Amino acid sequence: MSLLSRIQQWLNPASAIPVQWQDIKIKELPLIGIDLELTSLDISTSNITSIGWVKGQGNCLDLASCHYSVICTTESLNQSPVIHGLTAETIALGEDVKDALQMLIQEAHNHVWVLHNVTLDMGVLFRLIRQFGLTMPPVVTIDTLKLAVYQLQKQHQMMPPNSATLTVCRQRHDLPLAPAHNALDDAVATLELLFAQLYQLDAKGQITLADLMHSGAINVHQLNS
Amino acid sequence: MNAVAPQQALEFLRSSAPFDGVDEKHRISAAQHTRVIYLTEENKQELLAEQQGRLFLIHSGQYSVKDSDGAQRHVSEGDYFGFSGLLDRIDYPIELSVDSPGLVYCIDGETFTTLIKHSASFSQFFKGAREEELQNQAVSDSNSMWLYKPLAEVISGDAVSAEHNVTIQQAASVMSERGVSSLLITEKGELVGIVTDRDLRNRVVALGADMGKPVSTIMTRDPARIRHNRTMFNALSIMSERNIHHLPVIDEMSRRPLGMITASDIVRHQKSNVLFIIGELSKAQNLYELTRCSWQMPHYLATHAKRLGDFDIAGKVLSQATDIMTRRLITFFQQQHGSAPMSYCWIVYGSQAREDQTMGSDQDNALLLADKPDEQQAEYFRQMSEYVCQGLGKCGIKLCDGNIMASNPDLRLSIDDAIAEAKRWVRQPTKEAIMHFNIFLDARAVAGDMSLFNRMQSARAPLLKQNMFLAALARHANEASVPLSMFQKFVYAKGRDVQDSIDIKKQAVAIINNLVRLYALANELKMPATLARLANLPENAGLSPRDADNLRDIWLFLNRLRWRHQLQNSVTDNYVRVSDLSSIEKHQLKAAFKAIERAQQAAVMKFSGGVN
């Protein structure tokens, strides 16, 4: 990235958003809700056990677009089988992580990614993408966790503990209980949560990504930076 | 691993009839052909248009929806809409309002059709649901009930009439040409008489009268008549009370005849026999017969008012029965004591005036006199009032605790005094005065000289529409509140044996009555009944037709709950128990309370400029 564009981005963070998405309303953006299930919460060592995603746009998600990959890994599963319900046998039958990543990278060109806790999931993704020597175009993410924190902080000074987990966030918006910790279910749950959050922020659906930059929930990720 | 479906969706379908009964393969396929929308008031139009032709299954949120020619339904988690259109293969427009936003599954129409063909229980479920919907509509739409039908809708074709100076021969040939058994006789267009088959037989053929004479010589002059905006029920009451088979219907304004209601019309429309009692009452020849017959009323209603729709007319039946009792009692008194020394009018107030009496309603009545009575005249009316009020008491209509009865000398005013009193109310609409006089604002003449009453009403109407008075009334109407907490939970009445009861009269029905009265007074509407007022509000009354319809539906709904409570529990109070309600009724009751609250706020804004 050139120095000039770095300065531009620092002065105006919204300028990093790809041109085709700069001036359109969030409700018109092609979205993809993504969730990764990981073997640990440590970005430098964690591995992916499964990936799920679902596509949507304008307060509507299409279950026909659901994707779910279980990743074949030889790594230790640590505590995660208990949490994700994936046993070593299932994982041994799963896909190669590189294939799964390549499929996901396809979605970076034409979708804004919606995740709950972008820092963790994108950290692991980027580490693995570099590790496999893959390339990826800049990807725009919306973090429902950061959005929740932003909305909570607008209301309270203090954040109650556990107030930003996916399940608690959904409860706050009166969304139905969803089985947590399955990558596809969490991906669907995350995108549903975004719809409810956006409704609370802007019932008429007029805002753009740039209007939400100040919440800290919008990020543009560049592989080479 | 493609063609997957989230567990969340599968589990939801597994717990939602009739998807619980289809095999897993079809369930997965249904989930894969589903879109999930986050439906809000703001985006509903756009989203529903995009998802047209799909089956909607609510996962969260609350909505009011009208998706077929059926009635509006309140729906929430696990409820469907849009299936009528899919079953009928018609794109019914979906009218929906979002009470609270949430997720709605939109299941592909093809998938739905395949399942309907594939699974008998699946198709049964939706066909059953639709029938129930239609059935609900039949009772919820009070206008479809024959008794509630305005006469204007019932009379067919134009009035068959002849001018008063045509010959008997000509009149008879008009009747046979048009195939009718009665003929309206007019003078310059206004109704002056009626000729029936029976008149032709008894007054012409039997007597060998000259058929060249004008028809006016054999007609019944100044026949009983009814205005076109009254209902079948009113017509039936008049006909059974007067024992006539033909009742001309006239236009209220022009007094021109519009048509005729006949006994056979009534029979054709009659589907219920809950009115039988009226005929019995009017046949009573003495106080003993009258009380014996009256005491059957509660039992009669309990046995015959079974369907929800019967409750809609139960209040009317009871009020009209009380009217007839009053008239019979006055007749009995006059048979013994001679006719009244001056013209008078027996007026009823409150629930009897509005025709929404219940078993627990007490009597509210008064006498209006043409002049200030002298001592002897006053004594006659004192005795008459005493006799009628006590007689009504014996018939089961409780004496009024607040002494709003003609037996109270303060309520036997001359017309001049009554108008002067109304002026005083309006000049000083204090809180106490409003509380006291609210009841007198719903009034109806029941016996005696109706023109006295009309004169008083005409004099009062312009007074009662004055802004300061309406503002005071609006504030009063806003003082009562619906029993809902801030968190939309029911607030139960305190100090009752039953823990979960709600005073549905004071905290709901009366509020609607008060609100509707406001709009009615502001527009000088003369009828006292809440539903009739709603139906007759002009376009610019400040209450939109949609809000008026809404209030009507809510009023009917609350009224049903109240009647069912009284009849099922054999009580005369208005404390409806929440545990007696079905879950959908609880949901509807909350929605009704919220709507009443909104209507209160709107009325305060409109009539008292938002000042509480």
Side-chain angles (χ1 to χ4, degrees), chain A residues 186-208:
Chain A
D186 281 357
V188 172
T190 302
L191 196 48
E192 288 173 350
L193 173 62
L194 178 71
F195 293 155
Q197 287 176 328
L198 289 175
Y199 178 65
Q200 196 181 33
L201 282 167
D202 162 43
K204 293 209 163 72
Q206 297 300 312
I207 54 172
T208 63

Side-chain angles (χ1 to χ4, degrees), chain B residues 24-286:
Chain B
E24 186 72 9
K25 189 183 76 184
H26 282 102
R27 204 156 38 223
I28 292 175
S29 158
Q32 285 164 347
H33 290 89
T34 291
R35 290 185 194 149
V36 184
I37 58 174
Y38 188 73
L39 189 58
T40 70
E41 189 62 30
E42 284 78 7
N43 69 20
K44 63 180 185 186
Q45 242 161 346
E46 206 175 322
L47 280 182
L48 291 176
E50 282 168 17
Q51 307 303 331
Q52 198 173 28
R54 287 175 170 254
L55 172 71
F56 298 90
L57 167 58
I58 296 165
H59 198 10
S60 68
Q62 290 183 340
Y63 316 85
S64 309
V65 64
K66 187 175 178 328
D67 59 352
S68 64
D69 43 8
Q72 190 190 52
R73 296 176 292 141
H74 297 285
V75 288
S76 56
E77 188 190 335
D79 291 329
Y80 296 88
F81 60 93
F83 55 86
S84 295
L86 289 170
L87 289 172
D88 298 348
R89 300 185 172 281
I90 295 173
D91 277 340
Y92 292 120
I94 294 178
E95 288 169 37
L96 176 135
S97 67
V98 179
D99 301 323
S100 63
L103 297 171
V104 177
Y105 277 35
C106 315
I107 301 163
D108 179 54
E110 294 277 316
T111 307
F112 175 81
T113 316
T114 313
L115 281 168
I116 287 279
K117 278 190 207 133
H118 183 265
S119 157
S121 67
F122 190 88
S123 85
Q124 201 109 57
F125 177 90
F126 284 104
K127 284 173 183 157
R130 182 171 57 166
E131 264 160 37
E132 191 184 332
E133 185 186 311
L134 290 179
Q135 211 169 359
N136 284 342
Q137 183 223 353
V139 290
S140 81
D141 188 355
S142 69
N143 284 327
S144 71
M145 292 219 21
W146 71 281
L147 279 171
Y148 256 128
K149 271 190 186 154
L151 293 171
E153 274 178 44
V154 176
I155 49 176
S156 50
D158 47 1
V160 183
S161 63
E163 274 289 292
H164 67 114
N165 49 12
V166 304
T167 63
I168 297 170
Q169 161 99 58
Q170 285 167 322
S173 69
V174 171
M175 287 169 72
S176 77
E177 250 168 52
R178 302 287 299 269
V180 293
S181 58
S182 58
L183 183 67
L184 296 170
I185 309 299
T186 55
E187 187 170 345
K188 294 186 192 124
E190 274 192 34
L191 180 68
V192 292
I194 183 172
V195 173
T196 65
D197 276 350
R198 187 210 290 246
D199 297 333
L200 292 174
R201 188 170 70 236
N202 293 351
R203 297 177 191 167
V204 183
V205 181
L207 302 178
D210 177 9
M211 295 210 287
K213 284 209 281 188
V215 71
S216 54
T217 56
I218 59 144
M219 71 185 184
T220 304
R221 278 181 191 280
D222 202 21
R225 64 196 73 187
I226 190 164
R227 281 170 281 126
H228 75 289
N229 55 359
R230 313 286 337 250
T231 62
M232 278 294 268
F233 186 87
N234 302 120
L236 183 53
S237 303
I238 293 176
M239 288 164 78
S240 53
E241 199 185 354
R242 300 235 191 155
N243 193 26
I244 52 177
H245 296 107
H246 299 87
L247 185 62
V249 181
I250 57 163
D251 180 77
E252 183 175 26
M253 304 310 286
S254 67
R255 325 288 296 171
R256 284 171 191 276
L258 295 172
M260 182 88 79
I261 291 290
T262 66
S264 48
D265 288 335
I266 300 274
V267 171
R268 212 172 43 244
H269 283 95
Q270 185 170 18
K271 288 178 193 142
S272 147
N273 59 357
V274 85
L275 304 156
F276 179 73
I277 201 93
I278 301 258
E280 293 297 296
L281 282 172
S282 50
K283 280 186 211 140
Q285 287 305 313
N286 52 49

